[in-house]
Amino acid sequence: MASQLVFLGAPGSGKGTQASRLVKEKGYKHISTGDLLRAEIAKGSALGKKVEGILKEGRLVDDGVVLELLKANCSIESHSYIFDGFPRNLDQAKALDAQVLGSHQAKAIYFEISTDIVVERIINRRVAKKSGEIYNLLTRPPKTPGICDISGEALIHRDDDKEETVRKRMDIFLAEIKPMLDYYKNKNCLFKLDASESSQAVFEQLEELINL
Ligand code: AMP
């Protein structure tokens, strides 16, 4: 039976990096609402135009809009998913259960990390759009500056990865995370890992949690 994972954690806590490894090594599908929204913006769709300014400023997009986009992009019966960036608040957590997961149990995995580490990580984060690779100028630089090792494409510094926006996104995150943790704890499906460790060490923690 397909197993479902819900990744909870601050922007920059390493959710995306770990998700892409689980995709390669364990056959999960990664569904990131941030990526779906950025794809709409890149396409220039009506939805993309509506949300572009919101993403740039680091605010949250309307719950209903994101939920519809999520539903349109996953088929829970046949695949194991990693939900990354959704839920962002308690209402979204409840909607994910009621409208997407249904009778499928999911493990909620919380990537615990301090704000200071997150800010340093994000302002040094560079991403490759096509390959999905994520680099860090300090801890995982590309072999050639500014170029993706895998695809050769130019790396991007996301607009919302600038320091002022990162701090705003962290404030939003910290205000919303507590009720979500309580929600998943009460359902007995909350698991925590120490996300300040190296990528390899976090992956090992993750493997253990998945196999529980
Ligand atoms: P992320 O790539 O997960 O950091 O998301 C980037 C941006 O997309 C966020 O700062 C929000 O503006 C928007 N976004 C992504 N997921 C959601 C969500 N579940 N609810 C509302 N807005 C979202």
Side-chain angles (χ1 to χ4, degrees):
M1 194 175 126
S3 84
Q4 312 299 336
L5 302 177
V6 176
F7 278 9
L8 302 170
S13 57
K15 303 186 303 292
T17 303
Q18 297 298 333
S20 68
R21 197 160 162 197
L22 284 183
V23 168
K24 281 181 206 141
E25 297 183 23
K26 310 268 178 199
Y28 279 89
K29 283 189 179 288
H30 177 208
I31 186 150
S32 149
T33 44
D35 285 349
L36 293 175
L37 290 163
R38 282 184 289 277
E40 292 297 318
I41 294 169
K43 269 195 276 178
S45 69
L47 173 62
K49 292 202 172 87
K50 192 169 144 190
V51 301
E52 192 167 8
I54 300 178
L55 264 78
K56 213 168 192 168
E57 290 167 22
R59 292 183 289 123
L60 288 186
V61 174
D62 179 73
D63 288 352
V65 170
V66 190
L67 183 63
E68 286 313 311
L69 196 59
L70 182 72
K71 286 204 275 191
N73 284 280
C74 68
S75 54
I76 205 80
E77 300 302 329
S78 45
H79 294 107
S80 293
Y81 285 100
I82 300 161
F83 293 93
D84 169 11
F86 194 101
R88 283 288 221 281
N89 56 40
L90 184 58
D91 284 345
Q92 290 187 2
K94 290 180 179 169
L96 181 65
D97 279 340
Q99 298 185 44
V100 181
L101 291 168
S103 60
H104 296 259
Q105 255 286 12
K107 283 182 178 163
I109 299 185
Y110 180 45
F111 288 60
E112 261 185 324
I113 195 163
S114 77
T115 300
D116 285 346
I117 299 180
V118 154
V119 170
E120 187 181 85
R121 272 193 192 171
I122 300 197
I123 56 182
N124 286 297
R125 175 160 74 180
R126 298 293 181 274
V127 296
K129 265 193 181 167
K130 282 195 212 112
S131 68
E133 289 294 302
I134 303 169
Y135 297 88
N136 181 291
L137 299 184
L138 304 177
T139 57
R140 189 186 174 235
K143 289 188 187 112
T144 311
I147 303 291
C148 175
D149 297 346
I150 309 288
S151 61
E153 70 195 287
L155 299 180
I156 289 170
H157 189 195
R158 280 168 39 185
D159 280 339
D160 58 348
D161 281 353
K162 312 277 158 75
E163 181 157 358
E164 193 195 327
T165 316
V166 171
R167 292 207 177 266
K168 195 190 291 169
R169 289 163 69 204
M170 274 308 289
D171 288 346
I172 296 174
F173 171 78
L174 291 171
E176 303 286 4
I177 189 64
K178 173 86 173 56
M180 283 198 285
L181 295 179
D182 291 344
Y183 175 76
Y184 286 114
K185 196 170 168 208
N186 287 334
K187 285 170 54 103
N188 281 327
C189 64
L190 179 65
F191 301 84
K192 293 182 181 180
L193 53 75
D194 179 356
S196 65
E197 291 193 355
S198 71
S199 179
Q200 175 61 27
V202 173
F203 187 73
E204 284 164 17
Q205 294 181 61
L206 201 47
E207 277 186 308
E208 256 180 52
L209 296 181
I210 290 170
N211 293 330
L212 282 179

